[in-house]
Every structure is written in structure tokens, then in C-alpha cells.
């Protein structure tokens, strides 16, 4: 996808991305205080906000009713990374660090599974926010099922794996991918450039995405 919204399959994901992008203007990320729930009331139940506590700590501060219903429990106060295990958790920690440390936007597809091995594909979006200052210490996100099977909301998702992911950078390249001789890139709007692919150790390329395989737990 050549524009941020076109990598996104679900209307909720695209709407939240467009809202975040409008709010940030020429900044790399908008302020947390600029988020008005009434502005995104149509998709509020599918959104969440994280507090960044460190590379392994992304605490859920707010979570919409549909996000909680997917797991059949209240998510507030939990660590987002605890929704994954093994290599998928490590991949999510790397992905979340790119959002909170370098200001990337992230889109990923999940295979979410119940204890009875019922499975549904979900799309998750992670976007950086500033809670004062210039550091990205909050994350705005959404999580939405790409289809709605009859059992959704009555049988809890107990494990999930990443099936695809992509990062969209507000700079020409993230800091840790630049050569020392490179000049710092100008900050450009996300719409003007294609996203940069995000390779992860152990991943494989599938079309324009890098896929991280995560077997059933």
C-alpha cells in the first residue's frame, strides 16, 4: 500500500489511522490530550490506549468494549505483550519498540484462537502518541475481527499468533537501519511515501509483507 490507509483491510483501522494522521499535522505524533472520544465514537469500542513502561511493558490504560469482548475479560491494567507467547511475544516487543521509540505506525494481522481451536483473523493498529514532551510514551490502537463468527464475544481468545505485519515510518528510515554516514532524513507526511518493510529474525517474505510464523501453543 502506497498510502498508510491502503495497507489496512478493515474500515475501523483506516478510520483510526486517518484520524491520528489529521491530528498530528506536521508533528511525528499527536498529543494524547488531543484525542477526543466523541471524534471516533463510531469505532471507540474497538480502540485502546497503552502506557509505555519500557520495552517489555505496554500497559492497557483504556480498552473498548469490543476489544475486551474478544478476550471475554477486562483488559485495563494488563500488559499488551502478555497476549502473545514465545517468538510472537518477542516479535511484538520489537514491533512495539519501533512504535514507542522511533514513532512508527504498525499494522498487523493476527490469527486469534479459542480453547476449542476456533479461529478468527483480526487486524491490529498501533500508533504513537505523546503525553507531553517529544517522547512517544502512549500508544493509540485498535483491534478488530475481520469477520464476526457466531461465537465471537462468548468464547475467549486464549492464544494468538502474528500472520503478517508492516511498519510505516514517518522518516525516510528508522534510526537503527541507517548507516553512520547517512544524513538524518527529513520528517515527511506518511501519505507521501510507501511504507518501509520490517524484517524480523526468523521471518519470511510473502509478497510485500514479512510474515512471522508462530505455531499453535
Amino acid at each position: 500500500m502506497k498510502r498508510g490507509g491502503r495497507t489496512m483491510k478493515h474500515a475501523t483501522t483506516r478510520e483510526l489511522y486517518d484520524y491520528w494522521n489529521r491530528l498530528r499535522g506536521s508533528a511525528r505524533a499527536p498529543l494524547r490530550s488531543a484525542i477526543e472520544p466523541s471524534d471516533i465514537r463510531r469505532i471507540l469500542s474497538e480502540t485502546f490506549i497503552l502506557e509505555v513502561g519500557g520495552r517489555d511493558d505496554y500497559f492497557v490504560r483504556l480498552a473498548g468494549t469490543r476489544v475486551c469482548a474478544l478476550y471475554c475479560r477486562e483488559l485495563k491494567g494488563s500488559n499488551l505483550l502478555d497476549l502473545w507467547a514465545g517468538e510472537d511475544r518477542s516479535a511484538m516487543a520489537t514491533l512495539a519498540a519501533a512504535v514507542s521509540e522511533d514513532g512508527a505506525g504498525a499494522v498487523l494481522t493476527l490469527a486469534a484462537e479459542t480453547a476449542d481451536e476456533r479461529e478468527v483473523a483480526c487486524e491490529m493498529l498501533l500508533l504513537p502518541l505523546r503525553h507531553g514532551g517529544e517522547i512517544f510514551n502512549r500508544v493509540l490502537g485498535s483491534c478488530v475481527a475481520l469477520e464476526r463468527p457466531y461465537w465471537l464475544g462468548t468464547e475467549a481468545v486464549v492464544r494468538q499468533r502474528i500472520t503478517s505485519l508492516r511498519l510505516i515510518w514517518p522518516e525516510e528510515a528508522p534510526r537503527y537501519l541507517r548507516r553512520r554516514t547517512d544524513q538524518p532524513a527529513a520528517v515527511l507526511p506518511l501519505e507521501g511515501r510507501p511504507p518501509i518493510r520490517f524484517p524480523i529474525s526468523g521471518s519470511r517474505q510473502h509478497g510485500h509483507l514479512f510474515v512471522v510464523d508462530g505455531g499453535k501453543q
Side-chain angles (χ1 to χ4, degrees):
M1 156 174 176
K2 296 206 175 159
R3 291 177 180 262
R6 293 182 194 164
T7 47
M8 303 164 194
K9 300 174 183 177
H10 200 279
T12 291
T13 316
R14 293 191 295 269
E15 183 172 340
L16 187 63
Y17 172 84
D18 289 343
Y19 175 68
W20 172 87
N21 202 40
R22 288 195 304 271
L23 282 184
R24 78 182 187 93
S26 60
R28 294 179 65 195
L31 286 166
R32 162 65 181 90
S33 58
I35 305 294
E36 289 289 347
S38 60
D39 292 342
I40 51 173
R41 56 186 175 275
R42 292 184 303 178
I43 61 170
L44 195 60
S45 64
E46 296 164 328
T47 66
F48 57 85
I49 290 179
L50 309 176
E51 178 179 357
V52 182
R55 281 205 163 197
D56 293 310
D57 297 309
Y58 295 85
F59 299 108
V60 180
R61 293 291 298 268
L62 298 169
T65 54
R66 281 196 171 183
V67 179
C68 293
L70 185 64
Y71 303 94
C72 293
R73 63 186 175 91
E74 175 59 64
L75 293 177
K76 185 176 179 180
S78 63
N79 186 350
L80 182 76
L81 298 187
D82 290 343
L83 299 176
W84 286 269
E87 292 182 358
D88 287 285
R89 183 188 171 104
S90 297
M92 275 303 299
T94 300
L95 185 72
V99 175
S100 63
E101 295 177 14
D102 282 301
V107 186
L108 56 152
T109 306
L110 316 172
E113 189 177 310
T114 70
D116 292 334
E117 298 188 349
R118 303 184 193 275
E119 190 174 286
V120 63
C122 299
E123 185 171 66
M124 182 175 286
L125 175 68
L126 300 173
L127 299 166
L129 292 175
R130 295 176 293 126
H131 190 55
E134 293 303 316
I135 61 173
F136 311 119
N137 46 12
R138 297 290 187 275
V139 175
L140 174 65
S142 63
C143 185
V144 59
L146 296 177
E147 55 183 307
R148 299 199 65 81
Y150 71 91
W151 53 264
L152 197 67
T154 61
E155 297 185 30
V157 166
V158 297
R159 52 187 166 263
Q160 56 194 24
R161 63 188 186 278
I162 301 168
T163 57
S164 68
L165 61 84
R166 197 170 189 179
L167 292 184
I168 306 168
W169 298 96
E171 300 182 24
E172 287 299 324
R175 287 192 293 272
Y176 61 82
L177 291 182
R178 294 184 197 144
R179 297 170 301 180
R180 290 186 179 181
T181 54
D182 289 343
Q183 294 297 317
V187 177
L188 299 175
L190 294 181
E191 276 86 347
R193 302 177 297 104
I196 294 175
R197 298 165 186 157
F198 183 55
I200 289 180
S201 177
S203 67
R204 56 189 172 84
Q205 190 167 359
H206 179 71
H208 62 287
L209 298 174
F210 281 87
V211 178
V212 180
D213 293 319
K216 295 181 180 180
Q217 302 299 317

